[in-house]
Amino acid sequence: MASASAVGLPSFHDFKPETLRGEPGCFRLGLARDGRWWLLDPQDRPFFSQGVTAINRAGTAGGRQARRGPYADTIDRRFGADDPQPFVDDVLRRLRAWHFNTLGPWTGDEFYDRGLPYTEILDFRRMSEHAFRLGPALLPDVFDPRWETDCDRWAAELCGPRRESRGLIGYFTDHALGWAQAGDATPARPTLLQLCLSLEPAYAAYHAAWEFVLAPHAGDFAALCRAWGVDWVNKEALRQLTQDEVPLATRGYLDDQARFSREFARRYVRVTSEAIRRHDPHHLILGCRFADPLPGPDILQAFVSPWVDAVSLTCEQADPVGRVERLHAAAGQPVWVAEFSWSGEAFQEGEWAGEPPGLSGLERMHRRGRAALEAVAAHGAVVGYAWNRWVQGDPGDVPPFASGLVYTNDQTAHEHVEPLAALNRRLAGLHAGAA
């Protein structure tokens, strides 16, 4: 594999044996003696993952729910609509030429086990009706016993057939869940406990949340109100606050919010990890792809070994290293930058101190983007990154600021591919500290 042959990479004997995660003969994770985390391929060679998400004929993200986009019409005309093989061969050829070495989530399974390692996303939240969206929360109802059953069924269907695959690196459990956390600041919106207390009674999380907060007060609602420093007549008063987007922020509430968030996250991690490992004990578990805003430590500290082998995040900010640091510090885990792009506004607009004057938006994008990706690769906790999509995205996105590596007409987006190909040749060396 390209990244495993780079000059200056550690040998297998440079890794601390007690840190190795995963099964021999499959992709593993390990901490080198110099303090850098690495993936190890099935031959135990260090591997820095350089991937692309959403590589599929539909040309859209969404995996199994992907809707056919205009890219699919292009591919049908170029390669024919009946045989997927010519399209697959062409994409794999281009990826290798651009020094990518991993197929990211939402890649069509016709690409699997064709010589490039791949990652799978399970979307546990989406696979049943036991989920809720309220305010900033977008989560499965982890207290519903049916959710645990459905997770096991879903893992049997998706992970069971992959358990012997040597090309599979591991599984992301979900994408961009909304944890409704305030982080280190006073909440600006209702947080997870308040939202669960405000759900409809049909949700198990509603009953679990009320039991959680009332149990220390022997079920006395008035005693709970005194502990929280609020003056409510009944539960409906809290629901009205939530509907009005008014967050609870008293000391008593925030203490309970922290404890409840820890319990919620632990249940999520335990159920999803146990489901995966019942049906595939061999491959890595890569977390739930945290998005902005990153949750606080009450959530992040649940994503630890042995339940989870790494943590992952999506990042299109101009300073991704700060987010990597925060995630690594909270969980103490290797970090996968599961989506990265320099096509967002943060990389194009405004003038930064130290930049040459008069740069165009394209020049700023490339200058800032290269620096950000180099800094990500050089970080000792980071084990890989994925460019955020194969196809340009919305047909209305205007090059050179569309985000895909190819346009909907399947022509190469050279403004992204040329600098990325050059960077990809260097990233494993940067991670090893050799470049």
Side-chain angles (χ1 to χ4, degrees):
M1 297 180 186
S3 60
S5 64
V7 175
L9 302 194
S11 71
F12 181 68
H13 300 291
D14 293 322
F15 288 86
K16 301 177 182 180
E18 68 274 13
T19 69
L20 294 175
R21 303 175 182 182
E23 293 286 322
C26 295
F27 276 89
R28 296 198 277 177
L29 281 161
L31 182 65
R33 299 186 191 281
D34 65 359
R36 299 174 188 271
W37 282 97
W38 288 87
L39 285 160
L40 295 163
D41 73 11
Q43 289 75 45
D44 286 331
R45 298 173 298 192
F47 181 86
F48 188 81
S49 178
Q50 299 161 185
V52 183
T53 73
I55 304 171
N56 58 61
R57 196 180 190 97
T60 57
R64 300 164 192 86
Q65 293 81 34
R67 296 181 179 179
R68 180 183 173 95
Y71 182 68
D73 296 330
T74 300
I75 298 308
D76 286 352
R77 288 192 297 270
R78 285 198 64 194
F79 299 104
D82 298 325
D83 182 3
Q85 202 58 50
F87 170 61
V88 170
D89 291 342
D90 184 71
V91 170
L92 294 177
R93 175 189 60 78
R94 295 165 92 178
L95 289 170
R96 291 187 175 103
W98 302 339
H99 305 288
F100 287 101
N101 59 22
T102 303
L103 305 170
W106 303 300
T107 294
D109 59 10
E110 66 269 26
F111 289 89
Y112 293 170
D113 296 309
R114 293 292 315 281
L116 278 188
Y118 64 97
T119 56
E120 181 58 292
I121 188 165
L122 300 176
D123 284 327
F124 279 117
R125 183 190 66 82
R126 296 177 182 271
M127 55 82 195
S128 79
E129 71 274 18
H130 314 307
F132 60 91
R133 180 192 292 269
L134 183 61
L138 179 62
L139 293 162
D141 188 344
V142 300
F143 298 98
D144 191 323
R146 295 172 296 175
W147 184 67
E148 187 164 353
T149 301
D150 287 344
C151 282
D152 184 75
R153 173 183 56 79
W154 194 240
E157 182 176 337
L158 297 184
C159 304
R162 301 284 173 215
R163 61 182 293 153
E164 303 303 328
S165 172
R166 290 298 177 262
L168 174 62
I169 297 176
Y171 302 101
F172 299 100
T173 56
D174 273 296
H175 170 67
L177 296 176
W179 291 95
Q181 297 293 296
D184 299 325
T186 301
R189 300 184 70 188
T191 47
L192 181 59
L193 174 57
Q194 180 179 347
L195 294 168
C196 287
L197 294 168
S198 302
L199 289 169
E200 294 298 323
Y203 288 96
Y206 168 85
H207 299 283
W210 278 111
E211 181 179 350
F212 185 89
V213 298
L214 287 173
H217 307 284
D220 187 340
F221 182 78
L224 172 65
C225 291
R226 289 193 295 271
W228 282 5
V230 296
D231 184 17
W232 296 336
V233 175
N234 52 37
K235 297 177 181 178
E236 190 60 33
L238 172 59
R239 181 169 289 169
Q240 187 60 55
L241 286 177
T242 303
Q243 291 175 352
D244 295 338
E245 284 280 302
V246 177
L248 287 177
T250 67
R251 182 70 269 158
Y253 166 78
L254 291 176
D255 288 343
D256 282 347
Q257 150 69 14
R259 293 190 304 112
F260 182 79
S261 295
R262 287 193 291 269
E263 175 63 19
F264 196 108
R266 287 167 183 162
R267 282 175 178 259
Y268 172 86
V269 170
R270 177 185 63 80
V271 169
T272 56
S273 298
E274 286 181 348
I276 293 169
R277 290 197 164 123
R278 269 193 297 271
H279 301 285
D280 182 353
H282 307 309
H283 295 104
L284 299 169
I285 300 177
L286 307 172
C288 66
R289 293 166 58 93
F290 292 108
D292 275 333
L294 281 181
D298 298 317
I299 297 293
L300 298 179
Q301 288 170 4
F303 287 80
V304 294
S305 180
W307 299 107
V308 175
D309 298 304
V311 288
S312 56
L313 78 163
T314 65
C315 188
E316 296 186 33
Q317 291 74 23
D319 180 23
V321 170
R323 301 180 75 244
V324 167
E325 288 280 2
R326 181 177 167 192
L327 189 55
H328 178 60
Q333 295 273 63
V335 177
W336 195 304
V337 179
E339 280 191 22
F340 173 82
S341 171
W342 55 49
S343 60
E345 292 181 359
F347 288 95
Q348 303 166 26
E349 297 184 351
E351 294 187 358
W352 290 7
E355 286 186 334
L359 294 176
S360 67
L362 181 62
E363 289 169 329
R364 285 194 292 266
M365 180 178 75
H366 283 159
R367 182 185 181 90
R368 296 172 187 177
R370 284 194 297 263
L373 192 51
E374 288 172 349
V376 162
H379 196 284
V382 175
V383 296
Y385 89 98
W387 187 258
N388 79 331
R389 63 186 311 134
W390 171 249
V391 185
Q392 74 181 75
D394 187 329
D397 289 347
V398 178
F401 302 116
S403 60
L405 300 184
V406 300
Y407 305 131
T408 54
N409 64 4
D410 204 35
Q411 296 301 302
T412 299
H414 291 284
E415 65 273 13
H416 298 319
V417 166
E418 290 181 7
L420 281 169
L423 282 166
N424 284 340
R425 297 184 66 172
R426 302 173 50 237
L427 293 184
L430 279 172
H431 188 64

